[in-house]
């Protein structure tokens, strides 16, 4: 990629320097929207401005007849009747939030999402905390050997949902590793928690129908794994078997 700078660069030369492309500060609280049939072109006046609250927008979530604007510590509800520019309105829906666009899961009319306070179940009108039994994992002032590393790259964290197993997983980085090699797992029917550890970092996931709906996880080295498939204690046959190829 080639970047054209508007002003001369006065820093030192470093082939491994990091950089970021940020929008102007006035644009950080503005959400642009397109009209029906025009997903790639819209006038600059089609904009929705959120009030300043000291928080950062992390994603958008459609649910029911509303569009929810997610922040790290807030959730706003947007709705309109005829035209967003004339009768659109934004309301504060919750004082809880979501870390990024991939950390919320819609399961059976309830949205489960993770923020810095823990994990909560959002029903549109209120957020109910559900992670009290594992709250030590979210604290950095505990003696627990397993804690979430808030200094890790949170853009690599994600969540997955398996309706067959009624299980939601949040892939996060724990102390001792930079990448999401652990998952906070929740069975929402039995309201049961457990943690899983993987020998490979899982930075993305998706559901696909391969005979039945399966949960696929993207790992390093351009490989894709299937979760909840096979045995957790190794192959029953010492020689192993090849089930298929991509």
């Amino acid at each position: 990629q080639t970047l054209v700078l508007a002003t001369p660069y006065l820093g030192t030369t470093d082939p491994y320097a990091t950089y970021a492309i940020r929008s102007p500060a006035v644009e950080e609280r503005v959400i642009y929207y397109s009209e029906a049939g025009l997903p790639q072109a819209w006038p600059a006046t089609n904009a929705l401005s959120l009030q300043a609250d000291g928080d950062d927008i992390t994603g958008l979530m459609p649910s029911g007849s509303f569009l929810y604007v997610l922040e790290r510590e807030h959730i706003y509800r947007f709705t309109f009747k005829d035209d967003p520019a004339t009768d659109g309105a934004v309301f504060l829906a919750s004082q809880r939030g979501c870390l990024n666009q991939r950390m919320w899961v819609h399961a059976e009319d309830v949205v489960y999402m993770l923020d810095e306070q823990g994990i909560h179940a959002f029903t549109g009108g209120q957020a109910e905390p559900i992670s009290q039994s594992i709250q030590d994992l979210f604290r950095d002032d505990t003696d627990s050997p397993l804690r979430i590393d808030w200094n890790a790259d949170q853009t690599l964290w994600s969540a997955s949902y398996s309706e067959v197993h009624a299980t939601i997983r949040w892939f996060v980085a724990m102390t001792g590793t930079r990448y999401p090699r652990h998952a906070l797992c929740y069975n929402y029917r039995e309201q049961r928690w457990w943690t899983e550890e993987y020998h490979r970092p899982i930075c993305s996931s998706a559901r696909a129908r391969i005979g039945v709906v399966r949960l696929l996880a993207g790992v390093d080295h351009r490989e894709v794994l299937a979760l909840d498939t096979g045995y957790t204690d190794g192959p029953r046959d010492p020689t192993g078997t090849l089930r298929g190829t991509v």
Side-chain angles (χ1 to χ4, degrees):
Q1 296 179 350
T2 301
L3 298 179
V4 179
L5 303 181
T7 58
Y9 174 68
L10 302 179
T12 58
T13 300
D14 184 358
Y16 302 102
T18 59
Y19 68 91
I21 300 176
R22 296 180 62 92
S23 59
V26 295
E27 298 283 339
E28 294 181 355
R29 306 293 299 174
V30 177
I31 299 175
Y32 292 94
Y33 60 89
S34 63
E35 299 178 4
L38 300 173
Q40 298 179 345
W42 60 88
T45 55
N46 286 9
L48 170 66
S49 179
L50 270 68
Q51 63 182 10
D53 58 3
D55 206 349
D56 297 325
I57 298 176
T58 58
L60 302 176
M61 180 186 72
S63 181
S65 58
F66 300 102
L67 174 67
Y68 292 91
V69 182
L70 307 179
E71 297 184 340
R72 296 182 68 91
E73 299 177 358
H74 304 85
I75 301 176
Y76 290 91
R77 181 174 66 249
F78 172 72
T79 183
F80 70 96
K81 181 180 179 181
D82 298 319
D83 186 354
T86 58
D87 56 13
V90 180
F91 305 94
L92 179 63
S94 175
Q95 294 283 356
R96 296 295 298 266
C98 188
L99 286 187
N100 64 42
Q101 177 69 9
R102 303 190 301 161
M103 294 297 282
W104 60 270
V105 170
H106 205 157
E108 298 185 3
D109 298 330
V110 180
V111 180
Y112 300 87
M113 58 184 72
L114 183 148
D115 61 8
E116 294 179 353
Q117 301 181 46
I119 298 174
H120 59 96
F122 180 68
T123 57
Q126 60 181 358
E128 178 184 357
I130 61 173
S131 59
Q132 295 91 334
S133 59
I134 59 170
Q135 202 62 32
D136 281 349
L137 298 177
F138 293 85
R139 299 171 52 188
D140 57 3
D141 58 348
T142 176
D143 296 331
S144 174
L146 196 63
R147 301 189 305 275
I148 294 179
D149 185 1
W150 298 108
N151 295 321
D153 188 357
Q154 299 176 16
T155 61
L156 300 177
W157 299 4
S158 62
S160 67
Y161 162 54
S162 173
E163 64 269 32
V164 176
H165 299 87
T167 299
I168 303 172
R169 290 179 173 88
W170 287 271
F171 303 102
V172 298
M174 294 289 189
T175 51
T177 177
R178 296 173 53 192
Y179 302 107
R181 293 182 56 248
H182 291 80
L184 308 180
C185 308
Y186 179 64
N187 187 301
Y188 54 85
R189 290 176 182 164
E190 299 180 2
Q191 299 182 356
R192 184 168 62 92
W193 287 97
W194 70 94
T195 60
E196 295 178 353
E197 182 178 1
Y198 313 96
H199 70 286
R200 308 276 292 276
I202 297 180
C203 300
S204 62
S205 60
R207 292 187 297 165
R209 182 171 296 278
I210 307 176
V212 296
V213 177
R214 299 186 184 275
L215 179 61
L216 305 180
V219 297
D220 52 356
H221 304 299
R222 298 183 178 182
E223 293 184 356
V224 177
L225 308 179
L227 300 180
D228 290 327
T229 301
Y231 304 99
T232 58
D233 55 353
R236 298 300 177 93
D237 182 0
T239 60
T241 57
L242 180 63
R243 298 191 59 178
T245 57
V246 179

